[in-house]
């Protein structure tokens, strides 16, 4: 779906014959966004959103403790260069609730020292050779190898590479270990040797194909005149009272359509061919269309009776778990030089942590001035709570010379929440879309298909909603046809 057609889905309205029901399984950001878009586009449609969890929002949860600390369970921010989230924030009246990072500098932990991230970093590779040469992150040999990138022949055979193969081929092993792997590790939680370069670093793969070199492509972009109306927003923002403000506002807009604590047990068709979702409590919910905005494993289980081949492909998308420990120290126990948003850890450096966010340094309104809060992402997600806390505390005490014991401890476990975008992922997603093309009244949405971030999930919701409206197009009337409303058709689903 183009950005223009996404706008049409969000802003134009069509009318459905009363009684048409769309059922959404999953009340995370994807499911809530899909329900909101449907409500805006088709006010007469009957919506129902079910989720096994007692609270909506999925992994996006924000909690203010009695100590005055604002804790984020899931993502603490979103990127602004992907327009879907910013557009939704504007529609919900939340664009005035955004906040910019109080401290943008971040560091990489190497074997023997900390080094600052290159200046101007927005993606996973430095924006210019000078940013690499000026910094201390890379050795002289590593800088020389990266400087040779324009001389590396472009790969033209069309075969897919892993992130590890792509980055080391173009920039060398040091670029992978000290920059790309640490940055991607907390997003995809997958070995770079298994991650799909096309799915994860797609823009860089396209730049190599078009320009023959990433450095030449970046130089071309720097020389290009600034487009009129180009965004001047900071690349990353948060919300002043936590990211759950977004999902809470969506729930307010949706009203009483949510049924929480309701798990989907089966998806089937009755004798008339109508879709039915049976809950674990035995209730049968009829629907004219269904959006599965749940994890790929659950979507696979639900789809198996109706689309076994698509279900098998979905079942092959496995997911990683997340374990993080949130800690607070009195501000006077922290060194005054602690001026950063956090650090990531190079794989070669080892240790118990993959990364640490200095939450109250990164965003305003996260803690009283007397406290500094940290979120430690553990490398081993199978640790018990006590061991995880011990390793997190000892790591920070060693890395940051923190004195005394923490004043606050909180452990969060998120099982199987980060889909692994393995080599062949985009081809698998395309196969799933093709297998479901004959049943446009069943759509998928979530972080397992187009990307794991909040804007990606909103985009997946947009792409799920458009074919649903097309599947119900015979019920549309008035001057706005379903094709005008939703773009080109069911080929917009998933990919």
């Amino acid at each position: 779906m183009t950005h223009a057609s996404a706008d049409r889905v969000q802003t134009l309205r069509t009318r459905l014959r009363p009684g048409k029901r769309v059922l959404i399984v999953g009340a995370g950001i994807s499911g809530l966004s899909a329900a909101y878009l449907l409500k805006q586009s088709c006010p007469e449609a009957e919506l129902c959103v079910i989720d096994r969890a007692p609270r909506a929002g999925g992994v996006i949860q924000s909690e203010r403790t009695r100590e005055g600390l604002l804790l984020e369970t899931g993502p603490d921010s979103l990127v602004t260069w992907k327009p879907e989230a910013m557009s939704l924030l504007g529609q919900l009246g939340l664009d005035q609730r955004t906040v910019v990072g109080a401290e943008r500098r971040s560091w990489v932990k190497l074997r023997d020292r900390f080094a600052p991230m290159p200046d101007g970093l927005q993606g996973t590779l430095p924006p210019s050779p000078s940013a690499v040469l000026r910094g201390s992150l890379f050795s002289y040999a590593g800088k020389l190898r990266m400087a040779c990138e324009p001389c590396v022949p472009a790969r033209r055979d069309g075969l897919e590479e892993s992130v590890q193969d792509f980055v080391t081929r173009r920039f060398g092993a040091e670029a992978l270990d000290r920059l790309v792997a640490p940055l991607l590790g907390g997003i995809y939680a997958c070995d770079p040797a298994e991650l799909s370069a096309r799915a994860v670093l797609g823009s860089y793969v396209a730049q190599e194909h078009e320009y023959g070199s990433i450095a030449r492509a970046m130089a071309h972009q720097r020389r290009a005149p600034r487009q009129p109306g180009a965004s001047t927003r900071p690349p990353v923002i948060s919300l002043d009272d936590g990211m759950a403000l977004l999902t809470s506002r969506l729930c307010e807009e949706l009203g009483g359509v949510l049924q929480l604590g309701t798990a989907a047990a089966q998806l089937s068709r009755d004798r008339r061919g109508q879709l039915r979702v049976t809950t674990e409590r035995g209730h049968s919910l009829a629907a004219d269309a269904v959006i599965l905005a749940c994890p790929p494993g659950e979507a696979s289980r639900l789809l198996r009776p109706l689309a076994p081949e698509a279900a098998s492909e979905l079942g092959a998308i496995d997911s990683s778990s997340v374990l993080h420990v949130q800690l607070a120290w009195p501000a006077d126990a922290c060194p005054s030089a602690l001026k950063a948003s956090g650090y990531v850890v190079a794989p070669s450096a080892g240790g118990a942590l993959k990364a640490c966010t200095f939450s109250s340094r990164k965003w305003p309104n996260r803690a009283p001035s007397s406290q500094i809060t940290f979120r430690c992402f553990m490398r081993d997600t199978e640790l018990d709570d006590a061991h995880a806390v011990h390793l997190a505390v000892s790591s920070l005490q060693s890395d940051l010379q923190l004195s005394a014991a923490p004043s606050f401890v909180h452990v969060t476990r998120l099982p199987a929440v980060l889909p692994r975008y393995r080599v062949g992922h985009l081809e698998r997603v395309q196969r799933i879309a093709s297998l479901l093309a004959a049943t446009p009244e069943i759509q998928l949405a979530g972080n397992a298909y187009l990307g794991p971030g909040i804007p990606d999930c909103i985009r997946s919701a947009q792409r799920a909603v458009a074919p649903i409206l097309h599947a119900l197009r015979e019920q549309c009337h008035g001057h706005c046809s379903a094709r005008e409303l939703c773009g080109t058709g069911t080929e917009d689903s998933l990919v």
Side-chain angles (χ1 to χ4, degrees), residues 124 155 159-169 180 184 188 191-206 208 421-427:
T124 52
R155 185 167 181 174
L159 297 177
E160 187 173 5
E161 289 181 284
S162 69
V163 166
Q164 176 175 294
D165 290 343
F166 177 79
V167 174
T168 54
R169 178 174 60 82
V180 178
L184 293 182
Y188 296 95
D191 188 333
E194 300 176 356
L195 270 177
S196 162
R198 193 176 297 163
V200 174
L201 302 176
S203 62
Y204 298 117
V205 173
E208 179 190 34
Y421 283 39
R422 298 183 187 275
V423 172
H425 178 78
L426 295 183
E427 288 77 7

Side-chain angles (χ1 to χ4, degrees), residues 211-227:
Y211 295 94
S213 161
I214 312 301
R216 283 198 289 271
M218 290 181 173
H220 176 80
Q221 291 173 351
R222 289 193 300 274
R223 290 193 299 268
R226 186 178 182 84
Q227 295 297 319

Side-chain angles (χ1 to χ4, degrees), residues 19-20 268-276 284-288 441:
K20 287 293 180 181
S268 60
R269 292 188 188 272
D270 61 22
R271 287 179 295 178
R272 295 177 299 171
Q274 185 170 44
L275 291 168
R276 286 193 172 272
S284 180
L285 305 174
D288 298 284
E441 68 275 18

Side-chain angles (χ1 to χ4, degrees), residues 245-256:
L245 187 60
L246 170 57
T247 50
S248 297
R249 183 61 60 86
L250 285 169
C251 290
E252 292 172 7
E253 291 288 330
L254 291 173

